[in-house]
């Protein structure tokens, strides 16, 4: 028999148990589920043990069984139920104003499990958040539960061997007789199946020890006895356990009522009730085991010990020290955070100096909100759970499409691509690829023809015929209009097999076999070169897209037609129509490459720069400005990248500010005025959407599995995906289908160009001083600056895109064709501004990042890193004041 068993009988006889002539006996039950200190100690023992038989004011006793007068009144229906409410009604919780969102997702899940176990779920609002941050793992709880089971079994056997210490006739021995569905146990000293399951399930009784985990709180009255009525939901999870307690309640209605306690009160309750109930005995053992090292090896939770003894004092002192250390750390962290926020506020006052262009954009957005009477909308981040659910739905949708459109043939499409020389920026030229396949360049047949292999018995004519067929099919897949045979749909949902060949006679062994790598390379280089994609009139190029803040922008129909006429030197209708047809076909091909990436979104993502938010909303959701589903604040934010440069300061360049309050028909003073509602429903769609119907229509056609842009079909319908994707939010689509622009450290470093010793005023120093400062600037550029780029790129996959966006306003590095002026990011060192130690500045309109010309962060690399981090963080928040 262990120490607990040796003292167990003494506890029953009032020796040294909780509440019976011991320091723990200095506490007496107050009738509200708590134990109050009694200065008379053991003299109140008998009153403590029989407190539940003291009569209430209405004639009932506190045990829950009515006296004769009470029963008669109950039968008559006139009984006053106040006494029952005092005992059984759960008190309304005191709401603790804490933010549940501060909990992690795991802690919120734990809180939800906790809530589902409470008889009155509203009580969860009165429990501090500390209770939902469990300090012990499931394995530790399971070990404690197993230990409690073993000790309970040992105790039952020990009690059985010593009749003086056995349970009374109303004890658990008598309570655990057979009940419905169970046979009588053979060994009266053994635990029943229900009792064993009770102990093993204690690890899942989350409210049992909540009060132990809210240290430092003004109230810890959050412990629930597992045998109480309040834990009915927990017991109902196991039929054997639930029936066991129901049987217990029926056979012992005079037992102490079980409620919620403070930790010390719970331990006293378990000690007292454990004298005649093995369930309470084992629960106490479980808590003692679980919290035995709460404050360090051998130092348990203070509430496990008797008040005033050495172990209690030691645990209380250690618990106080731990709390003080925690408070000091929190105070230190809070002080650091306050200082950091103070510094950020000071730095953000110079926002205009950090990024003048970004500041102007935000001023323009605020002006738009004001004149259009639009309230600023706070961004709501989509939850991971919702995002995961949307992914499953989207994967199921594309799987359904494949089942619908796939033919019996293997779902693979082969394409041959003319590769660039090894030292080129990209693996192939997108412009050449489109031009050759659209014009069916004969050289493609030669390139696509497989070289003769020893095992290949096909004749040269047969191989050439197969090559012609492949070229024709590739052209049809990329540029062709739907003909109803399902061939294009099948191809768009298939796996594309890309073969890169530099020359027609390239050996088979030197040709890459596409197992995913060549296709990723092909698509990645497509996205890089989209901004440079053109149609060629004679030898003159007309770019189909413009570089804008955040991504590429299709040129307007008017601009396209103007350039065609200008480059062709003719206004002949056939020439213009032919060029427009080619432009739309190129846009259609881009859409089909995008679609093929979407249908395999787990392996291929499309950079957001390929499709700005306003165009994605139109093409993928059929949602156009003016629709009820398109929030007006989102509309304003989405058209900022398409607005003319804010640097011009000309009101006529600002479509919204220019039109508001003017007549729709400027030549008719009686025509209606441009109101905010009319601007959203007519001006913005016309100005930013319908004006680009050729290229947007081509993109929508390419992202469809059927003809969508027939004559008469409104662009507002979007692509065929819109019918399914309208149910998704734009944020969800962007998160699932789109990703970051792919760029390497080498690519970013290659476009950096230093500009030393600049000044907005006249330099007042000597030539020798200029040379000295120039050497320091060169050292910083080649040293700390490039080191920072490399190190941060290694830490975060998003850094390079964030850095490029800070410098240029775009999330990608624009591609430049050979012979064109190469794109550069200017790294300027200016003696005037910023001043030494201030944040770096950016001028996105001229792709420039600017550093102090003197005292460049005082040679402190860490200081420089902090300033860069602040500048990037500030400018990453698009919508700010």
């Amino acid at each position: 028999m262990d120490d607990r068993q040796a003292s167990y009988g003494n506890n029953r006889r009032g020796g040294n148990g909780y509440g019976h002539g011991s320091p723990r006996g200095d506490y007496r039950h107050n009738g509200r589920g708590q134990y109050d200190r009694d200065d008379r100690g053991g003299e109140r023992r008998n009153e403590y043990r029989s407190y539940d038989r003291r009569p209430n004011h209405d004639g009932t006793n506190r045990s829950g069984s009515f006296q004769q007068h009470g029963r008669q009144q109950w039968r008559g229906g006139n009984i006053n139920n106040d006494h029952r409410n005092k005992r059984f009604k759960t008190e309304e919780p005191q709401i603790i104003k804490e933010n549940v969102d501060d909990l992690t997702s795991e802690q919120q899940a734990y809180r939800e499990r906790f809530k589902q176990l409470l008889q009155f779920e509203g009580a969860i609002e009165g429990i501090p958040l500390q209770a939902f941050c469990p300090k012990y793992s499931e394995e530790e709880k399971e070990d404690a539960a197993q230990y409690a089971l073993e000790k309970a079994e040992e105790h039952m056997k020990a009690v059985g061997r010593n009749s003086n210490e056995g349970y009374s006739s109303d004890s658990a021995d008598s309570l655990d007789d057979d009940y419905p569905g169970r046979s009588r146990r053979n060994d009266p000293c053994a635990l029943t199946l229900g009792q064993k399951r009770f102990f093993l399930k204690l690890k899942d009784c989350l409210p049992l020890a909540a009060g132990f985990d809210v240290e430092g709180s003004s109230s810890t009255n959050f412990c629930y006895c597992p045998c109480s009525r309040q834990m009915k939901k927990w017991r109902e999870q196991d039929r054997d356990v639930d029936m066991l307690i129901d049987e217990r309640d029926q056979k012992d209605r005079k037992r102490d009522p079980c409620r919620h306690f403070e930790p010390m009160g719970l331990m006293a309750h378990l000690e007292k009730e454990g004298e005649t109930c093995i369930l309470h005995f084992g629960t106490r053992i479980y808590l003692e085991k679980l919290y035995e090292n709460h404050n360090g090896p051998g130092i348990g939770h203070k509430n496990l010990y008797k008040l005033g003894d050495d172990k209690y004092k030691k645990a209380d002192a250690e618990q106080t020290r731990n709390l003080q250390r925690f408070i000091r750390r929190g105070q230190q962290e809070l002080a650091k955070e306050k200082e950091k926020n103070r510094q950020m506020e000071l730095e953000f006052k110079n926002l205009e100096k950090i990024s003048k262009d970004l500041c102007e954009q935000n001023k323009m957005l605020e002006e738009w909100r004001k004149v259009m009477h639009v309230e600023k909308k706070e961004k709501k981040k989509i939850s991971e759970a919702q995002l995961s659910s949307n992914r499953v739905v989207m994967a199921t949708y594309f799987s359904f499409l494949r089942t619908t459109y796939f033919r019996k043939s293997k779902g693979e499409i082969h394409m041959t691509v003319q590769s660039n020389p090894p030292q080129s920026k990209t693996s192939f030229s997108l412009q050449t690829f489109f031009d050759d396949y659209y014009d069916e360049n004969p050289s493609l047949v030669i390139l696509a023809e497989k070289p003769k292999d020893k095992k290949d018995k096909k004749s040269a004519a047969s191989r050439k015929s197969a090559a012609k067929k492949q070229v024709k099919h590739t052209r049809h897949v990329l540029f062709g209009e739907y003909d109803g045979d399902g061939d294009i749909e099948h191809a768009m949902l298939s796996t594309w097999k890309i073969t890169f060949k530099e020359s027609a006679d390239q050996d088979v062994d030197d040709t890459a076999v596409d197992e995913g790598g060549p296709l990723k390379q092909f698509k990645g280089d497509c996205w890089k070169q989209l901004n440079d994609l053109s149609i060629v009139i004679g030898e003159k190029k007309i770019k189909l897209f413009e570089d804008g803040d955040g991504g590429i922008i299709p040129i307007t129909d008017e601009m396209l037609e103007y350039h065609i006429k200008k480059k062709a030197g003719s206004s002949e209708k056939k020439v213009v129509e032919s060029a427009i047809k080619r432009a739309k076909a190129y846009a259609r091909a881009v859409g089909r490459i995008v679609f093929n990436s979407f249908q395999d979104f787990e392996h291929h993502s499309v950079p957001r720069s390929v499709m700005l938010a306003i165009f994605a909303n139109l093409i993928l959701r059929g949602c156009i400005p003016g629709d009820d589903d398109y929030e007006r604040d989102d509309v304003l934010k989405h058209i900022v990248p398409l607005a003319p440069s804010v640097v011009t300061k000309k009101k006529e360049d600002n479509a919204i500010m220019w039109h508001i309050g003017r007549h729709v028909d400027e030549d008719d003073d009686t025509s209606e005025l441009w109101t905010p509602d009319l601007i959203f429903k007519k001006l913005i769609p016309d100005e930013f959407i319908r004006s680009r119907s050729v290229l947007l229509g081509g993109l929508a056609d390419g992202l469809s599995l059927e003809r969508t842009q027939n004559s008469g079909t409104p662009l507002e319908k979007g692509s065929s995906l819109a019918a399914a994707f309208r149910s998704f939010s734009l944020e969800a689509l962007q998160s699932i289908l789109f990703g970051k622009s792919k760029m390497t450290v080498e690519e970013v470093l290659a476009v950096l160009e230093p500009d030393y010793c600049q000044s907005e005023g006249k330099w007042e120093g000597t030539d020798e001083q200029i040379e000295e400062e120039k050497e320091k600037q060169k050292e910083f550029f080649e040293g700390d600056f490039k080191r920072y780029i490399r190190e941060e790129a290694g830490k975060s996959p998003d850094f390079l895109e964030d850095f490029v966006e800070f410098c240029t306003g775009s999330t990608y590095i624009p591609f430049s064709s050979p012979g064109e002026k190469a794109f550069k990011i200017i790294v300027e060192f200016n003696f005037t501004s910023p001043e030494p130690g201030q944040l770096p500045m950016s001028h996105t309109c001229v792709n420039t990042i600017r550093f102090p010309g003197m005292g460049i962060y005082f040679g402190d690399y860490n200081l420089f890193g902090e300033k860069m981090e602040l500048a990037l963080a500030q400018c990453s928040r698009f919508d700010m004041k």
Side-chain angles (χ1 to χ4, degrees):
M1 186 181 302
D2 62 11
D3 293 341
R4 294 190 184 91
Q5 294 166 357
S7 65
Y8 191 71
N10 293 331
N11 295 347
R12 295 184 66 243
R13 295 186 291 272
N16 61 355
Y18 296 155
H20 305 288
S22 66
R24 180 72 78 169
D26 292 343
Y27 285 77
R28 60 184 292 272
H29 201 284
N30 62 16
R32 297 189 303 274
Q34 303 173 357
Y35 288 77
D36 296 331
R37 182 67 181 263
D38 188 344
D39 295 335
R40 289 175 289 178
E43 295 176 7
R44 300 285 273 177
R45 177 174 53 214
N46 294 332
E47 182 180 347
Y48 171 85
R49 302 243 358 224
S50 61
Y51 81 94
D52 56 335
R53 290 187 289 275
R54 287 178 286 138
N56 283 320
H57 62 84
D58 57 0
T60 60
N61 62 33
R62 295 177 184 266
S63 66
S65 60
F66 293 102
Q67 296 179 1
Q68 185 66 28
H69 175 64
R71 285 196 297 271
Q72 291 173 348
Q73 284 185 326
W74 173 256
R75 292 192 185 99
N78 297 320
I79 189 169
N80 186 333
N81 286 322
D82 288 346
H83 67 284
R84 296 180 60 82
N85 292 335
K86 290 178 182 177
R87 288 197 53 218
F88 300 122
K89 182 179 178 181
T90 305
E91 297 177 2
E92 288 294 325
Q94 179 183 359
I95 304 301
I96 295 178
K97 295 183 179 180
E98 294 184 283
N99 190 357
V100 178
D101 293 336
D102 291 340
L103 297 175
T104 65
S105 57
E106 292 80 6
Q107 290 167 349
Q108 289 185 8
Y110 185 92
R111 183 178 185 270
E112 187 61 29
R113 286 172 55 203
F114 192 113
K115 175 182 177 181
Q116 292 172 359
L117 295 177
L118 297 177
Q119 196 70 16
F120 173 55
E121 293 187 355
I124 195 74
E125 302 298 339
I127 300 177
L129 297 186
Q130 280 181 283
F132 314 121
C133 308
K135 298 175 176 59
Y136 297 99
S137 65
E138 292 297 317
E139 292 75 15
E140 290 172 314
K141 291 182 179 180
E142 191 171 344
D143 290 344
Q146 185 63 42
Y147 180 82
L149 172 61
E150 294 171 0
K151 290 301 177 182
E153 289 178 329
E154 291 176 9
H155 179 68
M156 287 288 287
K157 293 177 182 179
V159 169
R161 290 194 298 267
N162 187 347
S163 59
N164 292 330
E165 296 179 353
Y167 290 122
S168 62
S169 60
D170 65 342
S171 67
D173 246 356
S174 63
L175 297 179
D176 296 328
D177 291 339
D178 40 329
Y179 48 92
R182 316 302 295 164
S183 59
R184 183 181 296 274
R185 58 186 179 192
N186 296 324
D187 184 1
C189 295
L191 295 175
T192 65
L193 175 61
Q195 291 169 334
K196 291 179 180 180
R197 294 177 71 87
F198 176 91
F199 293 129
L200 294 178
K201 279 184 62 62
L202 283 175
K203 65 182 181 66
D204 299 320
C205 189
L206 307 185
L208 168 60
F212 285 81
D213 298 329
V214 289
E215 302 168 73
S217 175
S218 59
S219 174
T220 56
N221 187 21
F222 309 114
C223 295
Y224 292 80
C225 176
C227 298
S228 68
R229 293 174 177 82
Q230 299 218 26
M231 287 294 97
K232 176 73 172 172
K233 288 186 178 180
W234 168 71
R235 296 193 301 272
E236 286 176 345
Q237 295 178 352
D238 189 303
R239 180 175 177 273
D240 291 328
V241 173
D242 191 37
M243 294 181 67
L244 174 70
I245 302 298
D246 283 347
E247 187 79 5
R248 171 188 178 280
D249 287 343
Q250 292 171 14
K251 294 193 175 186
D252 191 9
R253 292 186 179 276
K254 295 183 180 181
R255 186 171 298 277
D256 244 358
C258 301
R259 302 174 181 173
H260 53 91
F261 308 90
E262 292 184 349
M264 191 174 288
L266 176 66
M267 295 303 293
H269 168 80
L270 295 175
E271 181 78 14
K272 176 177 179 290
E273 291 293 315
E275 297 171 8
T276 55
C277 175
I278 192 63
L279 303 182
H280 285 80
F281 171 84
T283 302
R284 176 176 63 84
I285 299 298
Y286 167 78
L287 291 174
E288 289 177 348
K289 181 64 177 176
L290 184 63
Y291 289 94
E292 64 180 354
N293 297 312
H294 184 76
N295 290 305
I299 308 177
H301 197 290
K302 67 179 182 181
N303 290 308
L304 298 179
Y305 308 117
K306 299 169 187 176
L307 186 66
D309 69 8
D310 292 341
K311 288 186 176 180
Y312 176 89
K313 292 177 181 178
K314 185 177 181 180
D316 186 46
E318 186 62 29
Q319 211 157 311
T320 301
R321 282 193 292 271
N322 288 338
L323 182 59
Q324 289 173 344
R325 283 193 289 267
F326 176 79
I327 292 174
R328 282 197 299 271
R329 285 197 300 269
Q331 289 173 338
Q332 291 169 358
E333 291 297 324
L334 182 61
K336 288 181 181 179
E337 192 65 25
K338 285 183 177 179
E339 178 61 21
K340 185 177 180 180
N341 289 338
R342 189 183 71 83
Q343 290 292 340
M344 287 183 68
E345 287 178 5
L346 292 175
E347 297 287 0
F348 291 165
K349 287 180 180 178
N350 297 321
L351 171 60
E352 189 170 357
K353 296 181 180 179
I354 298 173
S355 179
K356 186 175 181 180
D357 301 329
L358 185 61
C359 186
E360 290 293 341
Q361 283 186 348
N362 281 272
K363 285 181 180 179
M364 180 173 66
L365 181 57
E366 288 301 323
E367 286 180 357
W368 285 355
R369 285 183 176 135
K370 186 176 181 180
V371 300
M372 300 288 282
H373 309 297
V374 173
E375 193 173 324
K376 181 179 178 181
K377 174 189 172 187
E378 296 297 333
K379 289 184 179 179
K380 291 183 179 179
K381 187 177 180 181
I382 187 170
S383 68
E384 287 297 327
Q386 184 62 41
L387 203 56
S388 178
S389 174
N390 287 344
R391 283 180 178 275
V392 172
V393 174
M394 191 169 292
T396 304
Y397 171 70
F398 281 118
S399 178
F400 167 75
L401 292 181
R402 282 188 283 272
T403 303
T404 303
Y405 288 102
F406 263 15
R407 298 178 174 181
K408 295 181 180 179
S409 60
K410 191 175 182 181
E412 292 182 356
I413 301 297
H414 293 269
M415 295 184 183
T416 302
V417 180
Q418 172 82 51
S419 62
N420 282 336
Q423 302 303 321
S424 303
K425 294 180 181 178
T426 55
S427 60
F428 76 104
S429 168
L430 180 65
Q431 187 67 54
T432 302
F433 176 75
F434 273 26
D435 290 344
D436 285 351
Y437 271 101
Y438 188 83
D439 296 328
E440 294 187 78
N441 192 325
S443 63
L444 281 176
V445 177
I446 300 173
L447 188 72
E449 186 177 344
K450 292 183 178 180
K452 187 174 182 181
D453 191 0
K454 293 179 180 179
K455 298 180 181 180
D456 190 0
K457 298 181 180 180
K458 293 182 180 179
S459 64
S462 179
R463 291 197 304 274
K464 186 173 183 179
S465 175
K468 283 183 177 180
K469 186 176 179 181
Q470 185 195 116
V471 170
K472 186 174 182 180
H473 183 252
T474 299
R475 184 190 188 282
H476 183 56
V477 168
L478 291 173
F479 308 111
E481 297 185 3
Y482 293 98
D483 50 17
D485 64 357
D487 187 51
I488 295 176
E489 293 89 337
H490 172 81
M492 290 170 64
L493 290 160
S494 298
T495 301
W496 290 5
K497 295 294 183 180
I498 303 296
T499 301
F500 286 109
K501 292 181 71 175
E502 191 171 345
S503 61
D505 57 353
Q506 183 171 310
D507 192 84
V508 175
D509 296 333
D510 296 329
T511 304
V513 178
D514 195 339
E515 295 180 351
L519 179 57
K520 285 188 176 181
Q521 182 71 48
F522 170 79
K523 289 181 177 178
D525 285 344
C526 279
W527 314 139
K528 286 182 181 180
Q529 301 176 71
L530 267 186
N531 71 300
D532 197 51
L533 184 62
S534 311
I535 57 171
V536 180
I537 306 293
E539 295 182 355
K540 299 177 182 178
K541 294 169 55 176
I542 301 174
K543 286 191 175 184
L544 301 181
F545 301 95
E546 299 173 315
D547 290 311
D549 288 346
I552 59 174
I553 304 171
I555 64 173
T556 63
D557 301 349
E558 182 181 0
M559 186 65 68
L560 176 62
E561 186 172 345
Y562 167 79
H563 282 300
I564 291 173
K565 292 177 180 179
K566 183 179 179 181
K567 302 289 184 183
S570 170
S571 299
E572 189 177 343
K573 187 177 180 180
K574 287 185 178 180
V575 174
V576 175
E577 288 180 349
S578 176
I580 290 177
K581 182 179 178 181
R582 178 187 284 258
K584 186 168 185 175
Y586 280 21
R588 184 184 300 122
V590 171
R592 286 178 180 164
I593 297 172
V594 171
F595 185 100
N596 189 257
S597 297
F598 284 173
Q599 64 91 29
D600 191 16
F601 64 86
E602 295 290 354
H603 301 97
H604 298 276
S605 65
V606 179
R608 291 193 182 189
S609 58
V610 170
M611 198 178 297
L612 292 178
I614 190 171
F615 302 137
N617 227 356
L618 168 73
I619 295 173
L620 302 182
R621 300 182 69 240
C623 195
I624 195 168
D627 288 355
D628 293 337
D629 290 349
Y630 205 157
E631 292 282 350
R632 293 193 170 185
D633 191 51
D634 287 338
V635 172
L636 295 181
K637 286 188 285 189
H638 291 167
I639 65 174
V640 167
L642 295 109
S645 174
V646 295
V647 179
T648 64
K649 303 283 187 181
K650 294 180 181 179
K651 188 174 181 180
E652 56 267 28
D653 288 340
N654 190 325
I656 292 178
M657 298 300 293
W658 175 255
H659 285 84
I660 191 74
R662 288 175 173 265
H663 290 281
V664 173
D665 185 351
E666 294 183 4
D667 297 329
D668 183 1
D669 293 339
T670 62
S671 64
E672 62 180 327
L673 299 177
W674 284 109
T675 62
D677 192 59
L678 193 59
I679 286 177
F680 274 112
K681 293 184 176 180
K682 179 172 173 56
L683 178 65
I684 293 178
D686 287 347
E687 185 82 14
F688 301 108
I689 299 292
R690 298 186 185 101
S691 62
R692 296 172 168 84
S693 61
V694 172
L695 297 181
L696 288 179
L699 284 170
D701 200 16
L703 278 156
S704 301
L705 291 178
E706 56 189 20
R707 184 188 294 271
T708 58
Q709 297 304 315
N710 291 329
S711 57
T713 302
L715 180 62
E716 289 84 340
K717 295 291 184 182
S719 68
S720 67
L721 294 176
F725 286 179
R726 186 70 179 251
S727 59
F728 294 91
S729 68
L730 177 62
E731 291 75 18
L733 291 178
Q734 289 180 319
S735 297
I736 296 172
L737 299 177
F738 295 88
K740 297 285 186 179
S741 299
K742 299 293 187 295
M743 59 184 79
T744 65
V745 174
E746 289 70 25
E747 288 175 332
V748 173
L749 293 179
V751 300
L752 298 177
E753 183 175 288
D755 188 11
Y756 301 118
C757 299
Q758 295 300 309
S759 177
E760 294 178 0
K762 184 178 179 181
W763 168 254
E764 296 179 356
T766 64
D767 292 343
E768 290 78 9
Q769 288 175 327
I770 286 183
E771 287 301 319
E772 183 181 346
E773 294 300 333
K774 186 174 182 180
E775 288 303 317
K776 292 179 181 178
Q777 294 169 8
K778 286 182 178 180
E779 182 181 350
F780 173 82
F781 178 77
E782 297 294 339
D784 285 354
F785 182 57
K786 290 188 175 181
R787 171 191 168 189
Y788 175 79
I789 299 291
R790 291 190 178 95
E791 289 184 356
E792 293 303 312
K795 294 177 185 177
S796 170
D798 300 336
F799 169 75
L800 292 177
E801 183 178 289
D802 293 340
F803 172 76
V804 170
E805 185 176 15
F806 174 77
C807 299
T808 69
S810 299
T811 56
Y812 63 100
I813 297 177
F815 181 79
S816 302
S817 297
E820 293 184 352
K821 184 179 179 180
F823 172 81
K824 293 293 180 182
I825 293 177
I826 306 301
V827 182
E828 179 183 320
F829 295 87
N830 196 289
F831 291 125
T832 307
S833 65
E835 296 178 2
Q838 284 189 342
L839 296 179
M841 299 168 58
S842 70
H843 292 282
T844 57
C845 57
V846 288
N847 303 327
T848 297
I849 181 172
R850 183 190 284 187
F851 294 112
M854 300 177 66
I856 314 171
Y857 305 107
F858 315 108
D860 188 336
Y861 178 76
N862 292 330
L863 175 62
F864 164 61
E866 290 176 5
K867 297 296 182 180
M868 278 296 299
E869 183 180 356
L870 282 171
L872 292 175
Q874 175 65 24
C875 291
S876 67
R877 299 191 302 166
F878 170 72
D879 184 22
M880 73 281 188
K881 292 184 180 179

